[in-house]
Amino acid sequence: MALIDYVIIAVIAVIAGLAGFAIYKSKKSGKKCIGCPDSCACSAGNCGGGCSGCQK
């Protein structure tokens, strides 16, 4: 493998690690729906499918 292959693998690993850390941090802070823009205000806790459970 060439050096560029290792660099690309390292960059992908860092991006995946940061994404995983962001998910962990969001869940630990109590957000029910990470992908929902209203996840902090969602009282129903079932924000799947386009945030249909969130109150606006």
Side-chain angles (χ1 to χ4, degrees):
M1 289 176 94
L3 179 64
I4 191 72
D5 293 335
Y6 290 116
V7 171
I8 291 172
I9 291 171
V11 168
I12 291 172
V14 167
I15 291 171
L18 289 174
F21 181 71
I23 291 170
Y24 169 77
K25 197 169 145 184
S26 294
K27 285 292 189 181
K28 190 166 177 109
S29 70
K31 290 186 179 179
K32 304 243 187 265
C33 310
I34 296 171
C36 178
D38 297 323
S39 62
C40 292
C42 183
S43 60
N46 57 351
C47 298
C51 298
S52 59
C54 290
Q55 297 174 353
K56 303 211 183 225

